[in-house]
Amino acid sequence: MSLRLLDGTIDEDLVWSTTGVDVFEPSLPWRTFRWRYGQKHYSGTHWSSTMRSHVVYESRLELTRLLYADFDQDVTAVFAQPFLLSTTVDGHRRRHVPDFLVLREKAVPLVVDVKPRHLLTRPKVNFALGWAREVVLSRGWDFEAWSEPPEAELANLRFLAGYRRDWLFDEELLAEIREADLYGASLGDAFRAFPRHSDWRVRAAVLRLLWCQHFVTDLTEVLSEHHVLRQGPASAAGAGRRDLPRPVEETGSDEEENERVHLVRRTLKGGHVSGAAVRVGVGTRLTYDGEAVVVEEMFGSAAGNEVLVRDRLDRRFRLSLREVLSSGRASVIATGPGPEADEDRERASVLFAQLSDEEIAEVRERAAHINEVLYGFRSGSPELPEADEPRLQYDSTVPKLQRYETKADELGVSVRTIKRWVRAFLTDREAGLVHGGPDRGSGNMGGLGRADPRWVEMALEIMAEHGEESKPTRGKVIRSVGPRLVARYGEGEVKQPGRATAYRWLEELERRMPTFRLSSKRNRDIAARPAGAYGKLRPTRPGEYLLMDTTRLDVFAMDPVTLKWVQAELTVAMDWYTRCVCGIRVTPVSTTSIDVAAVMFQTYRPRPAGKDWPAHAVWPDHGIPRTVFVEREALEPEEEEEGKAKKVKKRGVASPALVPETIVVDHGKPYISEHITSVCQRLGLSIQPARLRTGRDKGPIERFFKTLREGPLEVLPGYKGPDLFSRGERPEDQAFFFLHELEAIIREWVACVYHHRPHRGLVDAYAPGLHLSPAKMFEHGIARAGYIEVPRDPALGFEFLKTEWKPTHHYGVEIRKCRYNGDGLDGYRGETSPYTGPKAKGLWPIQVDPDNINYIYFRRPDTRRWHTLEWEHAPAQKFPISQGAIEIARKVAGEKYPFPDDETAVAELLERWHLGLGLTMAERRLALRQAREQSAFDLPDTAEDDVRALPTVARILTGTDDQDEDETAEPGTDGAEPYEGPVAGDDDEDEELDGSDAVEDFYSDALEDA
């Protein structure tokens, strides 16, 4: 056994017999998942409530096993890719890495290998899992092969997993529900049992207790309000099995082909079927999880019809008849050949749909003649005779051959034709009388007419070769087909079509494989589409998946430094279930991890609504739609300001507040950075990266970008179009809006228009024709799944800042040659931290905002309160300065002064920015961010600010307690401007705190100095 330790080293000297379970806690996964273009599986990082940290998975099937492990109360730990197992089997060295190691409180450790059910019978897979299973069992541990779990049970666990984070729920409400006697009540009754609490809070709390298994219910059926709550151990069957099925050799010999069983087809490809069915009863043979079983008995039960089956080892077990017929785990083995659904014959409805009215009338007339020949009546029934029927020459007493001859003379055809019509009519009724019969249409290739399949195959092969190359012309493809066909099949074997015919065929093939009409990039995207049915993640509640992406806006913005155009990027966070846009941030030129964290922070703390926004566009501060939860303030009379007739009312926020469970991102550096990963781990968020170059994995947010471009952006000055071919001559000359103005426009359009416009992608399965907007879908989700309240911790913003691990010194903390100090370090200066790990190593975690290095933040372990540490040169700065700006400042000052300090460097850089002298691209970008930037996080006042803000302390510090105004020194009399310290924030009056926000726009003063 080999382990990968936390420092990256590998310990290969472990023997299983002497290895304890505790060695896995300080170890890393043996291998991490890789990403490649074209892969089909989804890898990601799951926040495990069992481990209280991230656990990696390589496929969505592995993720299902992690959900079951979190739900199992007996599981104490889960390790992904725990170790490398090496042994000798049949004289060969074998190596295997299990998918999971599950530690259990009441049982031995469990080694889990995850494989789809259809792969378990493959000889290679079966052998690898077989010897690993024997090794695990021989050491006294347990083994499990995990496959696809039951769909309904998995859907329930996915839904309940959204309530696994305990700190998001009110313990008092949970205790009240626990004390109530709800055993035996339905889930709907439990939701309505506490009328003094909001319905959405009770609903979320009851579902939380279902996840904790304080209540248990039947999870084999999709949860509904009719489910009965019980007390006892929860039953989640899952799909784990200790024994492996027998391997099945995959050979194509003629003998095996002749002896193969005929399985019942479950999909219809179109064919004339008159009875494709197989009897299911005692003696029927089935395949269940790859093994053949025989039905011995059928009986009814409270759960429905069930069957008793026996496998090859004479083991008997019961199965639900519904599972046998519809689950996919079992299929019926037919006893012999018969009518099948994939016959190469069209249905009658398809045949008649291709006929004109004259052709249909001709078929009906011919059927009437055949009825008269067979039965003596044109209708085919003596109960519906016509006026002169039955005619004597077609009486039933007349010999059949004589009737054939009479009808042939009447219609002017041969007797052989009449016999052929009768035979087709008796087999397929009227459909047999259509020209070509049920085989009509099977001899051509759609729009290709009767093109030679070899020519078509070669043309598609050549078109596919240009997938990664430049776009070819049709003539080049046509000229390449002929020589290749001669080389493959020989001269004259494949007839070449004419030029016009070849162009017509390529036009049809263009629909199958776009090559000539669209751009090469678009052709590659279409070629990468899955060949089968499209699958997608289906969210079941608000916040389950939060889509995040960044795009370059198709409109230029104004550079406040040089007053010239600049590229702008938009970062958006969208809730997949509701399509509500929960976070928006416009940044100049490029996006960094702090911008992504700021957008995530907006999902918890939405930005304030605009001053003049309509009422329907404003969300309450708590995030619940007003139609779902009536605010207490709405029931109280509005108060008037003193001396004013205008009524004051709270403004609200621009988007709903929600707690995401999983973020879906791409592989851009800001999204997969250590900063974002650490933020997600601290907040209990899972990370699901999309597949490489697969935009459809984030389809809703990609479609939002197109809607945004075709909506407000294309009417703005400076709009440049989606590509070079759509751009005007000089759109940059029209650039008019600054970055903060552009963001305000987008935010207002989203709140006022997009959130309240019906969305075609929003569908209620129980009311498919109902048109839903994102705001209405949010209400629907709350009514269905309750509402998990956003944490109201005022210090939540600190969790989104970047963490730096630094030592503490007697002079404070030093980060990138900047020294910080504050009273919060007292008692911890020069001490080693209790944190361990490859990054900590006795260092202290410091929260840093890269866009404002004037302050950093430190949380004392004893009080768990945040403290502000101030940069030694912060008093000289009139506004926040970013980390990149100080680095550029040092470089610029170093060119002019031999030994510049940071204060001189910043002053030199600011002078250079204002004059616009020789700005490089890096300096221009930093200047733009600096002019645009205010803190994206609503950070509360820390302990030092709380003390300094008190009026009494402020008077003592300023020395004005015992002095008269005349004796107070005038500022600036000594030639220096006094430093006033951090801006106080806790001396606001109550009416100021409860009133509307005085700042009309978050970015309204961002460009005053510029």
Side-chain angles (χ1 to χ4, degrees):
M1 177 188 296
S2 301
L3 296 176
R4 189 179 302 277
L5 304 181
L6 292 178
D7 57 0
T9 59
I10 298 176
D11 190 351
E12 297 180 334
D13 299 329
L14 298 175
V15 181
W16 192 315
S17 58
T18 60
T19 299
V21 176
D22 55 345
V23 300
F24 297 101
E25 295 187 7
S27 62
L28 295 175
W30 178 259
R31 65 169 185 262
T32 57
F33 49 81
R34 302 180 181 90
W35 291 93
R36 58 178 177 81
Y37 176 65
Q39 75 177 32
K40 297 181 179 180
H41 61 275
Y42 291 86
S43 302
T45 306
H46 170 72
W47 189 87
S48 171
S49 59
T50 301
M51 300 295 293
R52 313 294 289 185
S53 64
H54 280 159
V55 179
V56 298
Y57 60 88
E58 289 188 300
S59 66
R60 299 286 299 179
L61 187 57
E62 291 188 9
L63 177 59
T64 64
R65 187 62 185 91
L66 291 176
L67 291 178
Y68 276 81
D70 279 349
F71 186 69
D72 191 349
Q73 300 293 311
D74 190 41
V75 174
T76 59
V78 182
F79 301 98
Q81 315 288 333
F83 53 80
L84 173 65
L85 184 62
S86 304
T87 188
T88 302
V89 181
D90 297 334
H92 297 279
R93 190 69 174 173
R94 305 290 182 182
R95 296 158 59 90
H96 179 69
V97 180
D99 293 313
F100 298 110
L101 173 64
V102 180
L103 305 184
R104 299 175 290 185
E105 183 177 2
K106 301 178 182 179
V108 297
L110 175 66
V111 176
V112 181
D113 272 306
V114 179
K115 289 293 179 185
R117 186 173 293 105
H118 69 277
L119 295 181
L120 293 178
T121 56
R122 290 190 180 181
K124 185 177 181 180
V125 175
N126 192 276
F127 174 76
L129 298 185
W131 71 258
R133 172 182 176 274
E134 295 299 327
V135 171
V136 170
L137 295 180
S138 66
R139 294 302 186 269
W141 287 12
D142 207 353
F143 177 85
E144 177 185 84
W146 181 268
S147 301
E148 297 85 350
E151 294 183 6
E153 187 177 80
L154 176 60
N156 289 332
L157 256 64
R158 272 189 54 199
F159 181 76
L160 294 177
Y163 307 89
R164 67 183 187 274
R165 292 169 287 184
D166 51 0
W167 66 88
L168 298 175
F169 299 90
D170 185 2
E171 287 296 333
E172 295 182 359
L173 178 58
L174 294 178
E176 183 178 348
I177 297 176
R178 290 191 186 100
E179 294 173 358
D181 186 12
L182 295 178
Y183 298 116
S186 66
L187 195 56
D189 293 337
F191 292 157
R192 296 181 289 270
F194 304 91
R196 72 185 190 90
H197 294 284
S198 303
D199 176 73
W200 48 270
R201 293 187 64 203
V202 176
R203 186 178 293 262
V206 171
L207 294 175
R208 163 65 186 173
L209 294 179
L210 265 179
W211 172 263
C212 298
Q213 301 179 26
H214 176 78
F215 300 124
V216 297
T217 189
D218 182 16
L219 297 179
T220 59
E221 299 288 340
V222 178
L223 285 176
S224 68
E225 292 194 355
H226 302 291
H227 274 59
V228 178
L229 301 179
R230 298 180 289 102
Q231 183 180 16
S235 58
R241 54 186 301 166
R242 190 178 187 186
D243 299 327
L244 299 175
R246 295 183 60 186
V248 177
E249 297 290 339
E250 298 179 353
T251 59
S253 62
D254 295 337
E255 295 181 359
E256 187 176 44
E257 182 68 20
N258 294 332
E259 295 178 359
R260 78 181 193 278
V261 296
H262 296 265
L263 301 180
V264 177
R265 315 285 184 181
R266 297 182 58 201
T267 58
L268 299 179
K269 299 180 181 178
H272 187 82
V273 181
S274 59
V278 174
R279 171 185 173 274
V280 178
V282 177
T284 302
R285 300 176 64 237
L286 310 171
T287 58
Y288 183 75
D289 284 347
E291 295 189 8
V293 296
V294 180
V295 177
E296 289 192 340
E297 185 180 353
M298 298 185 66
F299 51 88
S301 66
N305 294 328
E306 296 185 349
V307 295
L308 180 67
V309 299
R310 173 176 51 84
D311 62 6
R312 61 183 180 84
L313 300 177
D314 290 335
R315 295 177 300 185
R316 291 170 174 81
F317 51 94
R318 297 164 59 178
L319 296 175
S320 170
L321 185 60
R322 171 185 289 183
E323 183 179 7
V324 170
L325 298 178
S326 62
S327 70
R329 301 181 64 182
S331 59
V332 182
I333 302 176
T335 56
E340 296 182 352
D342 58 352
E343 293 179 351
D344 190 18
R345 296 147 66 88
E346 291 291 356
R347 298 185 299 275
S349 60
V350 177
L351 294 177
F352 288 125
Q354 303 179 64
L355 302 180
S356 63
D357 294 341
E358 293 78 10
E359 290 175 326
I360 293 177
E362 181 183 351
V363 171
R364 290 175 177 172
E365 181 65 22
R366 187 176 298 171
H369 286 298
I370 300 303
N371 276 327
E372 189 175 20
V373 170
L374 295 177
Y375 311 111
F377 300 90
R378 293 172 61 84
S379 64
S381 173
E383 298 179 357
L384 299 173
E386 294 186 2
D388 56 346
E389 290 182 344
R391 291 192 289 176
L392 296 178
Q393 59 269 36
Y394 297 110
D395 190 81
S396 59
T397 59
V398 179
K400 183 181 294 185
L401 182 58
Q402 184 177 344
R403 282 179 277 166
Y404 287 176
E405 293 173 350
T406 303
K407 183 59 71 174
D409 294 338
E410 180 182 343
L411 299 179
V413 297
S414 65
V415 176
R416 184 176 179 182
T417 299
I418 297 298
K419 291 181 178 180
R420 179 165 50 83
W421 287 354
V422 171
R423 186 166 55 250
F425 183 79
L426 294 176
T427 303
D428 298 311
R429 305 301 294 177
E430 284 84 352
L433 301 179
V434 178
H435 178 69
D439 298 329
R440 177 188 176 102
S442 61
N444 59 41
M445 300 179 63
L448 297 175
R450 297 189 178 275
D452 193 316
R454 294 172 292 181
W455 193 95
V456 174
E457 179 184 359
M458 184 60 68
L460 290 174
E461 181 179 323
I462 296 174
M463 293 166 65
E465 292 175 355
H466 289 81
E468 300 295 333
E469 300 177 1
S470 300
K471 182 170 63 175
T473 62
R474 292 178 176 84
K476 177 184 178 181
V477 174
I478 294 174
R479 291 191 299 268
S480 303
V481 170
R484 291 201 184 186
L485 290 175
V486 172
R488 182 173 299 181
Y489 299 105
E491 185 72 31
E493 290 295 325
V494 180
K495 183 179 178 180
Q496 298 296 317
R499 182 180 180 86
T501 302
Y503 270 90
R504 187 173 65 254
W505 289 353
L506 287 183
E507 185 177 355
E508 176 65 24
L509 295 180
E510 171 76 6
R511 301 179 181 178
R512 306 183 186 181
M513 184 180 295
T515 306
F516 312 108
R517 181 172 54 89
L518 304 174
S519 65
S520 297
K521 182 179 183 301
R522 180 59 176 164
N523 290 336
R524 286 192 292 269
D525 292 340
I526 296 176
R529 290 174 177 171
Y534 290 1
K536 65 177 182 179
L537 299 177
R538 289 178 172 83
T540 59
R541 62 185 178 278
E544 183 175 2
Y545 294 107
L546 185 71
L547 303 176
M548 299 190 68
D549 200 5
T550 300
T551 187
R552 177 157 289 183
L553 290 178
D554 298 323
V555 62
F556 288 113
M558 185 74 74
D559 185 338
V561 177
T562 62
L563 296 182
K564 294 182 179 180
W565 62 270
V566 67
Q567 296 279 6
E569 287 193 350
L570 172 67
T571 303
V572 169
M574 171 186 284
D575 176 45
W576 196 334
Y577 181 83
T578 63
R579 304 299 199 276
C580 284
V581 177
C582 305
I584 295 174
R585 186 169 174 84
V586 177
T587 54
V589 185
S590 61
T591 302
T592 62
S593 63
I594 196 66
D595 299 316
V596 177
V599 174
M600 292 176 59
F601 179 71
Q602 291 180 29
T603 64
Y604 291 84
R605 297 285 190 271
R607 306 306 306 164
K611 180 180 180 181
D612 300 324
W613 286 11
H616 70 270
V618 180
W619 296 72
D621 289 333
H622 44 64
I624 303 295
R626 292 184 173 86
T627 55
V628 176
F629 176 66
V630 179
E631 296 178 278
R632 183 180 62 182
E633 292 80 0
L635 303 179
E636 299 176 352
E638 297 175 339
E639 298 181 358
E640 297 184 358
E641 293 183 359
E642 295 182 4
K644 295 183 180 180
K646 186 179 179 180
K647 296 181 179 180
V648 179
K649 195 172 183 180
K650 205 166 186 178
R651 188 167 57 171
V653 294
S655 59
L658 56 83
V659 180
E661 179 187 351
T662 301
I663 63 170
V664 181
V665 297
D666 57 20
H667 295 263
K669 288 184 178 180
Y671 293 99
I672 61 175
S673 62
E674 180 184 356
H675 178 197
I676 299 301
T677 302
S678 62
V679 168
C680 292
Q681 178 154 333
R682 291 196 299 268
L683 297 176
L685 305 182
S686 302
I687 304 175
Q688 173 64 78
R691 292 171 295 181
L692 291 175
R693 294 166 53 188
T694 309
R696 59 182 174 272
D697 286 349
K698 307 189 305 306
I701 199 169
E702 300 289 354
R703 186 60 179 86
F704 169 77
F705 290 147
K706 181 180 179 182
T707 303
L708 178 66
R709 173 173 59 84
E710 296 176 348
L713 294 187
E714 65 179 2
V715 300
L716 295 180
Y719 175 71
K720 59 187 179 66
D723 50 47
L724 291 175
F725 302 101
S726 306
R727 182 173 299 185
E729 290 188 2
R730 297 188 62 84
E732 59 271 16
D733 293 343
Q734 304 174 3
F736 179 77
F737 294 103
F738 292 108
L739 287 169
H740 73 285
E741 296 174 327
L742 194 58
E743 180 176 308
I745 291 173
I746 296 174
R747 193 182 303 278
E748 183 174 0
W749 175 82
V750 168
C752 300
V753 179
Y754 183 79
H755 280 170
H756 300 276
R757 187 170 60 186
H759 197 295
R760 288 184 300 175
L762 297 177
V763 178
D764 184 0
Y766 297 99
L770 186 63
H771 299 288
L772 296 171
S773 64
K776 293 294 183 183
M777 196 65 182
F778 192 84
E779 298 177 13
H780 175 277
I782 291 176
R784 180 176 185 269
Y787 180 71
I788 300 177
E789 290 187 274
V790 173
R792 299 185 181 275
D793 181 9
L796 182 65
F798 293 111
E799 301 293 341
F800 292 85
L801 299 180
K802 192 173 183 180
T803 302
E804 298 276 359
W805 293 90
K806 297 295 178 180
T808 59
H809 306 283
H810 65 280
Y811 54 81
V813 177
E814 183 172 347
I815 298 179
R816 287 186 172 87
K817 300 180 181 179
C818 296
R819 291 186 177 184
Y820 299 84
N821 205 345
D823 296 338
L825 292 177
D826 295 345
Y828 294 97
R829 301 177 186 273
E831 290 192 6
T832 302
S833 76
Y835 300 98
T836 59
K839 296 179 181 178
K841 297 180 180 179
L843 305 179
W844 293 94
I846 307 295
Q847 299 302 99
V848 178
D849 184 357
D851 287 327
N852 182 11
I853 65 170
N854 288 339
Y855 306 99
I856 61 176
Y857 306 95
F858 172 73
R859 181 158 62 179
R860 293 178 62 93
D862 53 353
T863 62
R864 305 303 295 173
R865 296 195 63 183
W866 290 96
H867 294 261
T868 300
L869 307 182
E870 189 178 49
W871 183 32
E872 59 183 355
H873 295 292
Q877 310 303 322
K878 298 297 184 181
F879 52 84
I881 185 168
S882 68
Q883 175 181 309
I886 189 61
E887 294 176 357
I888 291 292
R890 290 167 177 166
K891 180 180 178 182
V892 171
E895 299 173 356
K896 187 175 181 180
Y897 304 100
F899 303 104
D901 56 9
D902 286 344
E903 186 174 352
T904 304
V906 173
E908 184 70 22
L909 181 64
L910 293 177
E911 180 182 359
R912 183 170 180 174
W913 280 353
H914 284 298
L915 296 178
L917 302 175
L919 289 178
T920 65
M921 289 301 297
E923 294 173 8
R924 181 181 175 187
R925 185 182 303 114
L926 286 170
L928 186 58
R929 289 189 66 91
Q930 198 68 38
R932 174 247 190 273
E933 199 60 56
Q934 280 191 358
S935 178
F937 308 97
D938 296 331
L939 300 179
D941 296 326
T942 57
E944 290 79 0
D945 298 327
D946 294 342
V947 175
R948 293 177 183 178
L950 295 176
T952 304
V953 177
R955 287 194 300 269
I956 296 175
L957 292 178
T958 57
T960 60
D961 211 15
D962 300 324
Q963 296 180 5
D964 297 331
E965 292 183 2
D966 296 336
E967 299 176 355
T968 303
E970 292 291 333
T973 55
D974 57 351
E977 183 177 355
Y979 173 56
E980 299 177 355
V983 178
D986 279 355
D987 57 348
D988 299 324
E989 300 297 335
D990 293 339
E991 57 268 23
E992 295 177 353
L993 295 176
D994 297 335
S996 60
D997 194 352
V999 182
E1000 296 180 0
D1001 187 5
F1002 184 72
Y1003 299 109
S1004 59
D1005 60 344
L1007 304 177
E1008 288 182 356
D1009 293 333

